[in-house]
Amino acid sequence: MIGMNTAAIYILQTLGSLYLLIVLLRFILQLVRADFYNPLSQFVVRATHPLLKPLRRIIPSVGGLDLASLVLAILVQIVLMALTLLLAFGTTGNPVQLLIWAIIGVTGLFLKIFFFALIISVILSWVAPHSHNPGAELVNQLCEPVLAPFRRLLPNLGGLDISPIFAFLVLKLLDMMVINNLAAMTGMPAVLRVLM
């Protein structure tokens, strides 16, 4: 029976995290003003539209921020965490604590999306510079708002862009020093840390 619960938790977390990633990408793509007509953006829109449509009636956008998709990401995270706790320990836990853990988890995933987008961007700049592939264009649009502040601060090194190094450092430090410490301080179980 324990093996079945472990397998169920693994499947739940894998599939749930994939959908959570898509929902959070919907928020991030609007946040960075990515190309709406990119085929990958269209996929994200279609995949999230059924659950976002009713939320949009209740939660308006504020200042160009799609708050409905952010609320949906937190709700999906709460459901994933509650189901994981139910399978692992037989209880769903305290709703207020679940909300706090969900916010921490979504914030951690938010940082990880930018971290891995930067890795992909750096690799693409080596193997396929100036690529017009829809995926490459979308990754570059995701990374540009993260890299722009560092590019303004760093001197021009004659075509060598070291801004991703500093962006990596900041994102990793935020993850290690803020997100992980918040998770530990709030008593987040190890089985839920996979979701952030």
Side-chain angles (χ1 to χ4, degrees):
M1 191 65 174
I2 294 172
M4 291 298 287
N5 277 358
T6 304
I9 289 170
Y10 175 74
I11 291 169
L12 171 73
Q13 288 182 337
T14 301
L15 297 178
S17 295
L18 183 61
Y19 189 72
L20 179 61
L21 174 69
I22 293 170
V23 172
L24 199 52
L25 271 175
R26 172 83 182 248
F27 174 75
I28 292 172
L29 291 176
Q30 288 187 330
L31 181 68
V32 301
R33 310 241 188 272
D35 180 16
F36 179 76
Y37 296 105
N38 185 306
L40 295 173
S41 297
Q42 288 295 307
F43 166 74
V44 169
V45 168
R46 278 191 225 103
T48 57
H49 184 72
L51 292 179
L52 272 178
K53 188 176 180 182
L55 272 179
R56 285 229 166 93
R57 293 183 187 140
I58 304 166
I59 304 167
S61 292
V62 176
L65 290 177
D66 184 18
L67 294 182
S69 60
L70 189 57
V71 169
L72 179 61
I74 292 170
L75 291 174
V76 168
Q77 183 76 298
I78 288 172
V79 169
L80 279 173
M81 288 182 165
L83 290 174
T84 300
L85 287 174
L86 187 63
L87 289 169
F89 305 115
T91 180
T92 57
N94 180 348
V96 174
Q97 204 167 28
L98 273 177
L99 175 63
I100 293 168
W101 290 342
I103 292 170
I104 293 169
V106 166
T107 307
L109 182 59
F110 184 82
L111 293 176
K112 281 187 176 66
I113 287 172
F114 283 108
F115 185 83
F116 287 110
L118 281 170
I119 290 175
I120 293 168
S121 173
V122 167
I123 292 170
L124 285 174
S125 72
W126 294 337
V127 297
H130 311 296
S131 175
H132 295 293
N133 179 292
E137 288 179 355
L138 196 61
V139 165
N140 288 332
Q141 290 170 355
L142 272 174
C143 293
E144 189 54 38
V146 175
L147 294 175
F150 297 103
R151 287 183 178 147
R152 282 194 296 272
L153 293 173
L154 296 170
N156 186 354
L157 298 175
L160 181 62
D161 185 12
I162 61 169
S163 59
I165 295 170
F166 292 95
F168 282 130
L169 286 172
V170 169
L171 288 172
K172 194 61 179 173
L173 283 174
L174 284 172
D175 187 43
M176 287 176 8
M177 304 299 289
V178 178
I179 302 300
N180 287 337
N181 284 339
L182 283 173
M185 286 175 16
T186 57
M188 184 186 289
V191 71
L192 296 182
R193 293 189 187 195
V194 176
L195 296 170
M196 49 179 246

